């Protein structure tokens, strides 16, 4: 078998045996990435592509980084996996310590899982169980208050709190009831909104729900500042702070899902730090290992932790776990990722990079089919509209976003859209020249996709 036969075999296997995520397999064309370096992906045909979405929002310091690679190798020579059921290892313990040091003060305890959705499930179950075991139990608190258009992962608990109907409606009969507030969108404002303060406008809807149902709410769950899968919806300033205040006023918990926004994306290690918000529970994933290996974390306050302590016979333990939770190889990658934030001054460089990205994107605002260009740190989104004056969207079946990204591929840039929204979310190490290429490809793609 020569090299080319083997390539056609694996393309066939990828086409017929691998069931790809969020992909219509009837039309899937194999696209095999064989190696990567920095912000670049190299495919099996020898072509290269700028990674415009950080391997689905998770890469931080670039691919194939020698420091992360070395950390994984060193751990590999010690032990590849240790269960977290009743035992631990020094790499995972060090990671927990380092995470706690870098997080809001209230958060002192870390439950490790392997993916973001599981970190959310853990937060929901911890909140639920907390109210049954805290000093003055309130077992009627079994509802979650979630945001319109929320996305928290694809397992059934995280889908229950999610609100993206295109993904979630099918599974409605399997989901638990959730209180749902409006999506605090700064671009598509509700018709009733009359130009008063947008933050207060949205928060008042949440307060209404809490006035009515507050004593039954176990927790409010939110993506902080930016709602990723909703299309990089940007919250008005102070909204997160306002949710924290509401949680305090109605004596419930606040869960912040930092799976997409954490690890420097918005300019600070955690997005919630920008509004000086201390959540009771914080979910991290994606960038936690630099985007190298599957690991996620749910950070919890000491108040929550304490509610799970007691004599064995009281069964206050958290009966939940994932086989690979806290895996030391992934923890080693995460520790190296945190080290790199310091040795490479990653956060210090984000304002300048974000400013450059904003400057490059600005001319797109004048495009006849661009309704909005929005950005927070190194998360940017360009929303295509059929009619700029009414902001009428293109019908989703027309796949304008996909068409734009397909065209961008010919400019050596890989992006994955969300409906009509083009996402630009490169690794935080992207340089100026790469950023220019990224935005150029997005423009060429948008022109091609909106021509007819
Ligand atoms: C990606 C994402 C998740 C789910 O993480 P997985 O690792 O894909 O399970 C949850 N919440 C948010 C905000 C995300 O962006």
């Amino acid at each position: 078998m020569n090299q080319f036969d083997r390539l056609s075999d694996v393309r066939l296997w990828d086409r017929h045996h691998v069931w790809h995520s969020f992909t219509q397999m009837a039309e899937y064309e194999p696209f095999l990435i064989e190696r990567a370096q920095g912000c670049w992906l190299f495919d099996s045909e020898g072509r290269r592509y700028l990674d415009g979405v950080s391997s689905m929002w998770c890469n931080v310091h670039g691919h194939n980084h020698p420091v992360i690679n070395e950390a994984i190798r060193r751990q590999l020579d010690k032990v590849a996996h240790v269960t977290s059921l009743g035992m631990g290892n020094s790499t995972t313990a060090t990671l927990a310590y380092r995470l706690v040091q870098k997080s809001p003060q209230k958060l002192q305890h870390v439950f490790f899982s392997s993916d973001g959705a599981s970190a959310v499930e853990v937060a929901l179950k911890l909140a639920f169980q907390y109210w049954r075991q805290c000093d003055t139990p309130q077992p009627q608190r079994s509802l979650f208050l979630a945001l319109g258009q929320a996305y928290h992962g694809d397992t059934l608990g995280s889908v229950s709190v999610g609100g993206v109907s295109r993904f979630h409606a099918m599974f409605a009969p399997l989901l638990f009831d959730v209180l749902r507030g409006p999506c605090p969108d700064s671009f598509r404002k509700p018709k009733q909104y009359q130009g008063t303060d947008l933050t207060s406008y949205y928060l008042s809807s949440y307060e209404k729900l809490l006035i009515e149902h507050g004593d039954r709410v176990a927790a409010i769950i939110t993506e902080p500042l930016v709602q990723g899968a909703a299309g990089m919806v940007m919250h008005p300033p102070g909204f997160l702070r306002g949710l924290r205040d509401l949680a305090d006023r109605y004596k419930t918990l606040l869960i912040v899902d930092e799976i997409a926004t954490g690890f420097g994306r918005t300019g600070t290690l955690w997005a919630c730090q920008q509004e000086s918000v201390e959540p009771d529970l914080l979910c991290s994933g994606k960038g936690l290992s630099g985007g190298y290996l599957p690991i996620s974390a749910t950070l919890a306050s000491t108040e929550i932790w304490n509610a799970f302590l007691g004599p064995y016979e009281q069964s206050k333990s958290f009966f939940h776990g994932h086989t690979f939770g806290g895996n030391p190889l992934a923890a080693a990658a995460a520790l190296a990722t945190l080290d790199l934030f310091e040795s490479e001054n990653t956060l210090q460089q984000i304002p300048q990079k974000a400013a450059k990205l904003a400057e490059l994107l600005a001319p797109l605002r004048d495009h006849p089919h661009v309704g909005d260009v929005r950005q927070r740190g190194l998360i940017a989104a360009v929303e295509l509209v059929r009619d700029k004056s009414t902001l009428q969207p293109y019908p989703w079946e027309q796949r304008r976003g996909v068409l734009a990204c397909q065209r961008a591929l010919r400019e050596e840039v890989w992006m994955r859209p969300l409906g009509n929204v083009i996402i630009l979310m490169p690794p935080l190490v992207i340089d100026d020249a790469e950023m220019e290429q990224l935005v150029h490809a997005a423009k060429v793609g948008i022109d091609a996709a909106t021509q007819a």
Side-chain angles (χ1 to χ4, degrees):
M1 192 163 45
N2 72 33
Q3 184 197 338
F4 298 101
D5 286 338
R6 215 171 303 131
L7 186 57
S8 60
D9 278 349
V10 290
R11 289 177 68 84
L12 222 62
W13 298 334
D14 182 46
R15 175 77 185 72
H16 288 290
H17 298 303
V18 180
W19 200 325
H20 289 265
S21 324
F22 285 94
T23 299
Q24 176 44 258
M25 293 310 297
E27 60 176 34
Y28 170 73
E29 289 293 336
F31 184 15
L32 302 171
I33 299 303
E34 299 302 318
R35 63 188 182 88
Q37 184 64 51
C39 295
W40 293 89
L41 308 172
F42 298 86
D43 77 2
S44 53
E45 319 272 304
R47 285 182 294 242
R48 63 170 209 166
Y49 304 96
L50 185 61
D51 183 354
V53 288
S54 303
S55 288
M56 282 325 287
W57 318 350
C58 70
N59 192 281
V60 179
H61 300 300
H63 296 272
N64 206 8
H65 195 296
V67 170
I68 302 178
N69 289 9
E70 181 53 27
I72 297 170
R73 280 197 199 99
R74 246 184 292 133
Q75 180 62 45
L76 188 58
D77 286 333
K78 295 184 201 159
V79 58
H81 183 57
V82 176
T83 179
S84 80
L85 279 69
M87 57 170 72
N89 75 94
S90 56
T91 307
T92 308
T94 308
L95 175 60
Y97 172 72
R98 292 280 302 281
L99 278 175
V100 162
Q101 272 191 317
K102 290 186 168 295
S103 300
Q105 214 193 330
K106 206 167 164 168
L107 304 170
Q108 292 288 319
H109 312 279
V110 187
F111 190 99
F112 287 108
S113 311
S114 324
D115 55 72
S118 301
V120 170
E121 299 285 341
V122 167
L124 298 174
K125 288 175 74 177
L126 283 176
F128 183 90
Q129 192 169 338
Y130 165 80
W131 289 112
R132 279 144 192 82
Q133 298 179 175
C134 59
D135 285 344
T136 39
Q138 298 183 48
Q140 82 285 1
R141 289 192 182 267
S142 57
L143 273 175
F144 292 93
L145 172 52
L147 273 60
Q149 302 284 110
Y151 178 81
H152 298 292
D154 294 320
T155 55
L156 289 174
S158 56
V159 169
S160 294
V161 286
V164 182
S165 59
R166 230 175 98 58
F167 306 159
H168 297 160
M170 157 77 76
F171 301 105
L174 299 177
L175 308 179
F176 53 76
D177 283 340
V178 163
L179 279 177
R180 180 89 47 201
C183 174
D185 193 332
S186 325
F187 168 55
R188 291 189 181 276
K189 301 172 188 112
K191 287 193 184 64
Q192 315 87 287
Y193 167 71
Q194 297 291 359
T196 49
D197 173 35
L198 191 60
T199 308
S200 326
Y201 174 84
Y202 285 124
L203 285 171
S204 67
S205 309
Y206 282 84
E207 181 147 30
K208 266 187 216 125
L209 288 167
L210 287 164
I211 289 169
E212 200 171 336
H213 309 283
D215 58 343
R216 289 166 54 223
V217 173
I220 304 172
I221 180 167
T222 183
E223 295 161 82
L225 311 190
V226 184
Q227 280 180 240
M232 301 304 161
V233 166
M234 306 284 163
H235 293 176
F239 179 77
L240 181 66
R241 178 74 252 163
L243 275 190
R244 173 73 270 181
D245 295 343
L246 285 176
D248 290 341
R249 202 164 327 137
Y250 294 89
K251 300 193 169 32
T252 190
L253 303 175
L254 179 68
I255 303 170
V256 161
D257 176 352
E258 294 258 14
I259 291 162
T261 51
F263 274 75
R265 251 314 134 188
T266 68
T268 42
L269 190 72
W270 306 115
C272 65
Q273 291 167 325
Q274 293 186 30
E275 296 198 351
S276 306
V277 161
E278 299 220 353
D280 302 285
L281 292 156
L282 181 152
C283 306
S284 173
K286 292 200 168 102
L288 173 54
S289 65
Y292 278 55
L293 289 169
I295 186 169
S296 63
T298 309
L299 279 67
S301 69
T302 300
E303 193 179 329
I304 293 176
W305 159 275
N306 283 342
F308 289 73
L309 304 179
Y312 180 74
E313 318 78 72
Q314 286 184 2
S315 284
K316 286 185 167 181
S317 317
F318 188 42
F319 292 112
H320 182 108
H322 299 283
T323 301
F324 291 105
N327 171 268
L329 284 178
L335 275 174
T337 298
L338 282 174
D339 287 342
L340 284 172
F341 270 95
E342 276 150 38
S343 62
E344 295 191 345
N345 291 319
T346 308
L347 292 178
Q348 289 82 339
Q349 295 178 51
I350 291 179
Q352 174 260 322
K353 289 186 197 233
K356 170 85 181 172
L357 184 58
E359 179 195 315
L360 290 169
L361 285 171
L364 268 172
R365 289 179 198 280
D366 299 327
H367 191 284
H369 288 286
V370 168
D372 191 30
V373 178
R374 46 186 178 262
Q375 186 187 342
R376 186 99 200 202
L378 285 180
I379 303 178
V382 180
E383 181 161 339
L384 308 182
V385 289
R386 175 144 84 184
D387 184 331
K388 194 162 174 140
S389 59
T390 61
L391 302 182
Q392 185 197 17
Y394 283 111
W396 63 268
E397 302 91 322
Q398 293 184 0
R399 293 203 268 191
R400 301 282 177 157
V402 171
L403 292 174
C405 294
Q406 279 170 349
R407 180 64 188 83
L409 212 51
R410 282 164 42 202
E411 306 297 314
E412 297 192 326
V413 168
W414 177 68
M415 293 184 291
R416 191 171 163 97
L418 286 160
N420 291 322
V421 182
I422 311 300
I423 309 298
L424 296 92
M425 203 157 157
L428 303 187
V429 291
I430 190 167
D431 68 24
D432 283 1
E434 290 165 336
M435 216 148 22
E436 281 162 22
Q437 182 170 352
L438 172 62
V439 174
H440 171 75
K443 280 181 184 158
V444 171
I446 289 166
D447 282 338
T450 56
Q451 242 153 37

